[in-house]
Amino acid sequence: MLEVGSEQVKGHSRSGSDAKAFIEATKTEALGLLESELNRLVDSAPPSDKERVGTEFQGFTHLFKRFLDESGPSLQWDNIEKLPPDAVRDYNSLPTPTADVLQQMLSKLVVVKLNGGLGTSMGCYGPKSVITVRNDLTFLDLTVQQIEHLNSTYNVNVPLVLMNSFNTNADTDQVVRKYKNLNVDIHTFNQSCYPRISKDSLMPIAKICDVDKHPDAWYPPGHGDFYESFYNSGLLSKFVKEGRDYCFISNIDNLGATVDINILNLLMNSSEKGHEFVMEVTDKTRADVKGGTLIQYENRLRLLEIAQVPKEHVEDFKSVKTFKFFNTNNLWVKLPAIERILSENALQLEIIINGKTLNNGLNVIQLETAVGAAMKCFRGAVGVNVPRARFLPVKKTSDLLLVMSNIYSLKKGSLVMSPQRMFPTTPLVKLGDNHFSKVKEFLGRFANIPDLIELDHLTVSGDVTFGRGVSLRGTVIIIANHGDRIDIPSGAILENKIVSGNMRILDH
């Protein structure tokens, strides 16, 4: 029998031929019932949407069939091989291209930002990309500034492509209008909209094809959907016909993911051409132990996610010594190769089974895929070990504190670490969920962002506020117990300090 969990489809127990026949018959029945339900949903869609919905449901049917067919873990742990010496290149070994080839190189590039996420985890409404992160500028503002600077500096026209979801599309399209007079061509397309299925019946919970009326019945199927949705949008074909060779894909909330000419040069001008896929990885620290890593498996380089790891090997996976790198999700992919792989139906991404419980108590399943998992499908795939500065994601307000601080300065949309910081690493910051997790509340607790240049580690828990001009250095731990409040006074310098209990400075 199929066991569905949040991590993987587990293997069938050994059974006789009668049991096997029953399982196969059940699968066939489940697939047939699903296809009938999907046809009914297509019929309920507005006439103008039927063709698009039908195409998307074909992709979902293929994913569902694989979900039924693929039993057992996606790899055998003991068959993981040691990475070959040339599997991951050191970024510092990459040559910088000469100025005379830069224009030609950039004319063959497309920049893609994954823009499907909402800001709800940080207490914000709408797309995460419109959260203000620095100098009243949003993630999207900074991205557009970066591309505009690139285009103006090198007299090129690198297009910016946003992959939206049905959650972010309408709001993003409104925001994009304000950039129309800038030197950036912006294109948008939507990733697929798939039906959530009941964990018990494996049937869609949607009754009609109307996302606005029943948003809980639908989901965007992870960024692995990029390849087929990009193809279906017509943009892939358009860019290939224009002679563009590569796209650079990254998350919109990774402020370190800027166009890098040394990596682009590796793809276009090196003596070892033929890399259809490059994954930027960086050194794993104890804060990154759950991040996907690179492995060699069946003579191919591929991404290994924690969801694919058998429970008895999770601690091995988290080992910084065994798996030194983790995936930044900054990817460089050859555009004609995407066309080839899709035409050959050779894109087989590991299925991530994401179980959720809706507000009404219904248990549902989302079948998702990850964009980096496609690595194994491309020729000449390689990793590049990049500096940590290329991985600056803002997932929580603790990340927001860092990017708003004086550790970084803003230049043409890019964050640059201050030369005053002694170490190239960023401090480890932990802010308590109860008082700091929402952006509005977080901002209300700081009169202004403290000086963090010499900070190594910061833990703040409880009802804590910060005055103006506070400086935090070394390791600082501030804990206000339940019912207590701590106000750090303006101008305070805390260096290797633990502050706890109840401290209130009152203005007179």
Side-chain angles (χ1 to χ4, degrees), residues 306-504:
I306 194 167
Q308 298 166 252
V309 178
K311 286 180 182 174
E312 64 270 24
H313 290 292
V314 166
E315 290 308 309
D316 299 328
F317 175 82
K318 291 180 178 179
S319 165
V320 177
K321 287 183 180 176
T322 308
F323 298 103
K324 299 177 182 178
F325 311 112
F326 78 95
N327 170 27
T328 65
N329 221 36
N330 299 347
L331 309 170
W332 303 74
V333 188
K334 190 156 191 174
L335 295 174
I338 299 175
E339 282 193 317
R340 183 193 75 239
I341 288 168
L342 289 176
S343 70
E344 294 172 353
N345 200 24
L347 190 71
Q348 298 290 318
L349 309 183
E350 285 78 19
I351 298 172
I352 301 162
I353 302 165
N354 191 354
K356 290 185 179 290
T357 302
L358 303 183
N359 291 335
N360 62 5
L362 184 66
N363 291 320
V364 297
I365 293 168
Q366 298 180 178
L367 304 181
E368 303 175 6
T369 56
V371 65
M375 182 179 220
K376 65 181 182 181
C377 306
F378 288 83
R379 297 169 187 160
V382 70
V384 174
N385 185 16
V386 298
R388 185 76 183 204
R390 290 192 58 75
F391 185 67
L392 287 177
V394 180
K395 304 294 184 190
K396 298 181 178 181
T397 52
S398 52
D399 303 318
L400 199 55
L401 180 67
L402 292 174
V403 300
M404 294 175 79
S405 77
N406 61 343
I407 290 178
Y408 297 101
S409 58
L410 193 60
K411 293 183 179 176
K412 309 296 184 185
S414 299
L415 291 182
V416 181
M417 187 175 280
S418 168
Q420 291 178 280
R421 183 152 176 86
M422 298 289 286
F423 308 104
T425 54
T426 50
L428 185 61
V429 175
K430 297 178 182 177
L431 301 179
D433 285 342
N434 289 341
H435 295 82
F436 289 87
S437 64
K438 309 302 182 191
V439 171
K440 188 175 180 182
E441 190 176 25
F442 157 82
L443 292 173
R445 294 190 168 272
F446 294 91
N448 66 355
I449 302 299
D451 168 11
L452 305 184
I453 286 285
E454 296 180 38
L455 179 70
D456 296 323
H457 177 109
L458 174 66
T459 294
V460 183
S461 179
D463 187 359
V464 179
T465 64
F466 293 80
R468 290 191 166 276
V470 173
S471 182
L472 305 175
R473 302 172 184 173
T475 297
V476 178
I477 300 171
I478 306 169
I479 299 177
N481 297 322
H482 183 69
D484 290 342
R485 175 171 161 180
I486 295 176
D487 292 331
I488 305 299
S490 294
I493 298 174
L494 301 181
E495 184 169 4
N496 296 323
K497 286 275 192 280
I498 298 176
V499 180
S500 63
N502 189 31
M503 184 173 79
R504 209 164 196 170

Side-chain angles (χ1 to χ4, degrees), residues 125-140:
Y125 296 100
K128 187 175 184 182
S129 57
V130 300
I131 294 175
T132 302
V133 287
R134 180 93 189 204
N135 297 8
D136 292 327
L137 299 172
T138 66
F139 291 105
L140 195 49

Side-chain angles (χ1 to χ4, degrees), residues 163 190-192 194 221-230 349 369:
M163 183 173 85
N190 271 18
Q191 65 183 114
S192 299
Y194 283 174
H223 41 55
D225 183 58
F226 161 76
Y227 303 99
E228 289 188 355
S229 292
F230 191 42
L349 309 183
T369 56

